[in-house]
Amino acid sequence: MTQSHYTTQLQAGLGMVDEIRALLDLWTPGMGAVQLYHTALESGRFPSISARRLQNLVSECFSPRLLSQEGRPADFLKVLMPVLGARDIEQILMVYTCRANVILADFVRDVYWPAYSSGRELLTNQDARDFVVKANQQGLTAKPWSETTIRRVSAYLTGACADFGLLERGTRSTRKVLPCRIEPKAAIALAYDLHFSGMGDNTVIGHPDWALFGLERADVIAELRRLSLKGVFLVQTAGDVVRIGWQCKNPKELSSAISED
């Protein structure tokens, strides 16, 4: 479930892709945040991270992103991870991070994509700051943020976008805008993630998660039609109604289907 207000939760960790992948490797179904923390601490796989920092990563990054809905996202991604490429996993983690941090989702949709679509080559922390200041003025934060918090959150937003491959990586206040196209396996995974959560076909097609990749409803239909050639689903349209024949009944079946591609 996304947050009702913008928060500063990204300060606990931006994309943290490698760390979350390592934690997911240690996680098993039914494991909560406390147990995962102790398992990770005892694993020796995080020698350069303090115990306090590791606890924050589990409670403030991994848990909100992957342990919502009784751990369904973690279970789904863990099953698929062996058959996904690094970029696929990065994009799926971006979706889960944006669901848990609505400020990042809105920044990607409302700032990154308009910048990319208009042909801008650079995006700056000042662009992010303008977005955050406007959010404060519109009451999207639980309480007004100080200038220091606004500046920090602005840097978190561009930093997270860099971690997920939307902007140039590195510590800088001005970053190159990088092209972003959803990977085929990531698109299949996102469609099934929405389907497995109980959504109807038209709701899946129109879900705002697709806009994180610059896709509108017609784009999603075209993308899924193209991907239907891989045999993981069938897409039929009649006017505004879309029907999808989901060929996989659970994540394990989906993993097998993807691995055969």
Side-chain angles (χ1 to χ4, degrees):
M1 182 178 294
T2 55
Q3 301 151 343
S4 58
H5 288 101
Y6 289 174
T7 75
T8 61
Q9 192 176 63
L10 276 175
Q11 69 185 348
L14 306 183
M16 305 304 294
V17 175
D18 292 339
E19 293 84 354
I20 289 180
R21 287 184 64 174
L23 288 168
L24 185 59
D25 191 47
L26 295 170
W27 179 85
T28 56
M31 184 180 287
V34 174
Q35 187 179 356
L36 176 59
Y37 162 66
H38 288 294
T39 300
L41 190 63
E42 296 167 2
S43 71
R45 294 183 59 173
F46 302 89
S48 62
I49 299 178
S50 69
R52 182 182 179 87
R53 175 63 176 149
L54 182 59
Q55 186 175 37
N56 284 340
L57 285 178
V58 172
S59 63
E60 298 296 326
C61 294
F62 189 94
S63 182
R65 300 174 193 185
L66 294 181
L67 296 185
S68 61
Q69 299 175 294
E70 300 182 336
R72 191 184 65 81
D75 186 56
F76 178 75
L77 185 53
K78 184 163 182 118
V79 171
L80 292 185
M81 198 159 60
V83 300
L84 297 176
R87 184 60 177 146
D88 302 312
I89 295 171
E90 189 175 88
Q91 290 187 339
I92 296 168
L93 286 177
M94 182 180 80
V95 171
Y96 291 151
T97 303
C98 284
R99 289 178 185 173
N101 297 272
V102 67
I103 187 172
L104 179 61
D106 287 349
F107 181 75
V108 172
R109 288 189 286 250
D110 299 341
V111 179
Y112 166 81
W113 277 107
Y116 177 82
S117 299
S118 65
R120 285 185 56 182
E121 296 184 355
L122 301 172
L123 201 64
T124 70
N125 284 1
Q126 181 61 45
D127 294 316
R129 183 185 180 280
D130 292 342
F131 167 81
V132 177
V133 167
K134 184 178 180 181
N136 269 259
Q137 294 171 342
Q138 294 177 334
L140 295 178
T141 55
K143 61 181 180 180
W145 286 345
S146 68
E147 177 55 37
T148 299
T149 300
I150 289 172
R151 184 174 64 253
R152 285 172 31 234
V153 171
S154 301
Y156 300 153
L157 291 171
T158 55
C161 286
D163 284 351
F164 291 122
L166 304 181
L167 299 175
E168 180 183 20
R169 287 180 167 86
T171 304
R172 58 198 72 203
S173 60
T174 299
R175 302 175 189 266
K176 291 181 181 178
V177 176
L178 303 179
C180 175
R181 175 176 174 79
I182 192 169
E183 296 291 327
K185 289 182 179 179
I188 292 170
L190 175 54
Y192 266 96
D193 174 88
L194 297 171
H195 168 66
F196 287 151
S197 71
M199 295 183 186
D201 296 347
N202 281 281
T203 304
V204 168
I205 295 295
H207 197 277
D209 280 353
W210 297 106
L212 298 172
F213 302 96
L215 301 177
E216 298 180 353
R217 178 183 168 87
D219 303 318
V220 177
I221 294 173
E223 183 74 11
L224 295 190
R225 273 180 170 167
R226 183 176 68 83
L227 293 172
S228 68
L229 298 175
K230 298 181 180 294
V232 289
F233 37 62
L234 302 172
V235 180
Q236 298 177 316
T237 58
D240 292 333
V241 178
V242 176
R243 294 190 182 280
I244 302 176
W246 303 94
Q247 304 302 300
C248 303
K249 305 305 181 185
N250 54 58
K252 289 185 179 179
E253 288 187 10
L254 178 59
S255 179
S256 296
I258 290 177
S259 68
E260 294 169 1
D261 179 30

